[in-house]
Each structure stands twice: as C-alpha cells, then as structure tokens.
Amino acid sequence: MIPFVDLEKQQERIRPQIEAAVRRVLDHGQYIMGPEVQELEEQLAEIAGVKHCVSCSSGTDALLLPLMAKGVGPGDAVFTTPFSFIAAAEVIALTGATPVFVDIDPDTYNIEPAKLADAIVETKREGALIPKAIVPVDLFGLPADYDQILPIAKDHDLFVLEDAAQAFAAEHRGQRAPSLGHAGATSFFPAKPLGCYGDGGAAFTDDDKLAEIMRSIRIHGKGADKYSNVRVGLNARMDTLQAAILLEKLAIYPEELAMRNGVADRYIDALRHVNGLKLPIIPDGHRSVWAQFSVQSEHREEIQAHLKSAGIPTAVYYVCPLHLL
C-alpha cells in the first residue's frame, strides 16, 4: 500500500542533515527559543515576503495569536468557511467570539466573496453581533480570492487573518501565502507541505505593533522580563528541535513544490477525459502547493474501493462541514 503521506521517503533525502541539526541542538542545550528559532523565523518571513514571523507551538496557536492580539472576543462576529479543519472555527470560539459560516465557491472550495459580503451585511442588520474579522482558509494549498476579500474587509473595517495552514508559499498574483491578509498563519503539522516532526506553526504580519503583541502572548503575556506579565497569554513557543528540523526541510522546499506541481500536472493531464470526474481548478495568477489533490465524483465510494484494491490510498476532506459539528 502506498502511504498517503510518505514522510519516510522525504526523510531519506535529508536524514544526515536532520541528524546533524538535532545534534547541534543537543550540544547547545537551548531547547526553548534557541538560536534556530530566530533563524527559522527570519527565513520564513523572507520567503513569505513579510516583516515579521512569530513561530509558535501549532497551527492552531498561529491562528489564535493574531485574534487575541486584535482583541477579538465576546460579542464579535468572525466570518469563516464551514469547509475546513475544526481549528479555523475553534480559535474563534476560544476567544469568546462567534463564528459566522459563509459557503464556498464550488470550483476552488474556498470562501465565496459575494456570499461573504452578504453575510456581513446581514450580521450588521441583525445587530446581535459586531463584525470584527474574516478568516479565509487557503484550502488544499490554493489561496482564497483576496482580490475580492480585501476590498470587502476594507468597506466594513474588518481584520483579515489568512489561514494558510495548508498553503505556505502558495502564490496569489505574485504574493506568497501567508502574506495576503493583515496577518496570516501556517501549520507545520507533519503532513503539511512544510511539516516538522511534531507540532509547530507560525504567524505572519507587516504590522509592527501586532507582531509585538503576538510575541508577548506567545510567552504568557510577557512584558519586559519573564516575571512581568502585561496581558493574558499562552504557552505557545516553538521547540528549538522543531525549528532545527524545519530549517533542513526548508532548504529543499522549493524543489518539493516544483515536484508537487509536476505531479499535479500529470494527474490533471491523465484524468481530464474521465467522464463525471471534476478536477481541481487553479485560477489564473495562482500557484497551489497541493496539500491535497482533490477530485469530485458522484461515484466516490466506488472509485475509492477500486483505488484501494490497487494499493492507492484516498481520504475524504472534510466528512462533516463545521456548521454541523
């Protein structure tokens, strides 16, 4: 059976580099916020094209840090997609705010901008919640339609937090995720396009003040020193070992993205003439990092059974939309 995500094969390419990186951390012994963490943040920020990268302990915390830093809380409405992993809505609920779900574009599976605009207007009309933020998800490695989302956000004075957990360095008209909103987040969960060997994440922004507050929240609301706590925070630091591993994986990431796109091109070319099979659609000016290659069919179970008999794994993303959980 072919692995759905073959981390072992990837590790074979860079096993000596990974082991050397781990040994360096063991030698210097700075397991929390060691020098590799800052080096990783600098490289990630450069690739994304933003001023600040704030590494943290998971992709979930990478979403939570900006929302907390912006003061999102009870009585606020935060607009997001129902077609994603639970973390996109979970972090909204953790702040005390209310997630308002907006349906997706059936071609890209990302949040539908026209429906987003309608949902904001309707929420304002109802008056029970104050619209505060939008959390678009760059699903399956493809950035959402920020050309339309950002003007909508500007019209209603809303903060845009790009959930690029599946899409680090995906491209939208020359910009790379997660630089497309006012802040962005990504995940380094092992199965992600850029994954570590545990949990990890990072938040991104060009906003100096926002970055400062996120760094404080990341370490228990730290102020001038570790015993000066100026706000409610989290224990959300990235382990140095994970940063060291990510630095080695980042070195081959551009090559891996090219390989992923090559594989996707071959799939599309081979499957384009299969009747009743809807293939992924990549809009002009976009480049996916192909976290998944997702197809639609009325005969899903039959196709899955056939592929399984040939040793080819499949999965369904996502079985239950978030508004039904």
Side-chain angles (χ1 to χ4, degrees):
M1 187 74 166
I2 300 168
F4 191 74
V5 179
D6 195 348
L7 296 177
E8 183 177 350
K9 189 73 173 178
Q10 181 199 52
Q11 188 185 100
E12 287 177 4
R13 300 182 61 204
I14 54 171
R15 182 69 178 259
Q17 296 95 311
I18 292 288
E19 291 179 349
V22 170
R23 283 196 299 271
R24 286 193 293 271
V25 176
L26 296 178
D27 288 343
H28 66 57
Q30 298 177 58
Y31 304 118
I32 304 294
M33 301 299 289
E36 288 83 357
V37 173
Q38 181 176 347
E39 183 181 351
L40 177 67
E41 290 179 340
E42 291 172 354
Q43 290 194 27
L44 292 172
E46 182 177 357
I47 291 169
V50 297
K51 290 175 65 176
H52 303 284
C53 170
V54 181
S55 64
C56 57
S57 55
S58 70
T60 304
D61 281 340
L63 290 168
L64 187 56
L65 286 171
L67 293 177
M68 291 179 65
K70 292 297 291 186
V72 174
D76 292 333
V78 179
F79 302 87
T80 194
T81 169
F83 190 58
S84 183
F85 184 62
I86 186 64
E90 182 178 41
V91 292
I92 298 167
L94 284 169
T95 67
T98 300
V100 177
F101 295 109
V102 179
D103 208 352
I104 60 170
D105 180 329
D107 287 337
T108 65
Y109 310 121
N110 286 327
I111 196 167
E112 168 58 61
K115 292 177 180 176
L116 171 64
D118 291 344
I120 295 168
V121 170
E122 180 62 18
T123 300
K124 285 185 171 182
R125 187 191 65 77
E126 291 175 352
L129 298 169
I130 300 171
K132 190 68 174 282
I134 306 167
V135 182
V137 176
D138 301 341
L139 204 71
F140 302 150
L142 177 69
D145 189 349
Y146 293 93
D147 285 347
Q148 295 191 63
I149 291 171
L150 289 173
I152 292 169
K154 185 176 181 180
D155 287 345
H156 297 279
D157 193 25
L158 301 181
F159 173 67
V160 177
L161 170 58
E162 178 187 6
D163 181 348
Q166 302 178 18
F168 180 72
E171 295 181 15
H172 172 89
R173 306 196 188 284
Q175 284 185 267
R176 288 178 174 170
S179 70
L180 301 166
H182 302 117
T186 199
S187 169
F188 303 123
F189 182 76
K192 293 294 191 290
L194 178 63
C196 56
Y197 292 160
D199 268 318
F204 299 78
T205 189
D206 284 323
D207 185 323
D208 296 342
K209 184 63 176 178
L210 183 63
E212 178 186 349
I213 297 172
M214 288 195 293
R215 291 191 177 103
S216 168
I217 294 171
R218 173 178 63 177
I219 310 177
H220 301 287
K222 178 181 175 181
D225 59 67
K226 66 183 294 184
Y227 297 117
S228 172
N229 304 94
V230 297
R231 56 179 55 86
V232 173
L234 305 168
N235 180 14
R237 298 164 296 198
M238 175 180 281
D239 292 339
T240 308
L241 282 167
Q242 300 302 341
I245 290 164
L246 282 166
L247 283 168
E248 299 306 325
K249 295 185 75 172
L250 194 58
I252 62 170
Y253 192 58
E255 180 187 357
E256 290 198 328
L257 291 188
M259 292 167 66
R260 282 175 177 267
N261 275 273
V263 170
D265 288 344
R266 292 203 303 274
Y267 284 171
I268 290 170
D269 186 59
L271 297 172
R272 67 171 72 251
H273 302 301
V274 177
N275 290 333
L277 196 65
K278 183 177 179 181
L279 300 178
I281 294 173
I282 308 300
D284 290 343
H286 290 67
R287 183 172 186 254
S288 177
V289 298
W290 297 105
Q292 286 84 30
F293 186 95
S294 298
V295 299
Q296 281 188 57
S297 173
E298 296 293 328
H299 308 287
R300 182 173 72 189
E301 290 75 15
E302 184 180 337
I303 291 172
Q304 286 188 286
H306 177 71
L307 291 172
K308 183 177 180 180
S309 71
I312 300 170
T314 62
V316 177
Y317 291 79
Y318 292 90
V319 176
C320 185
L322 300 184
H323 68 291
L324 298 180
L325 292 176

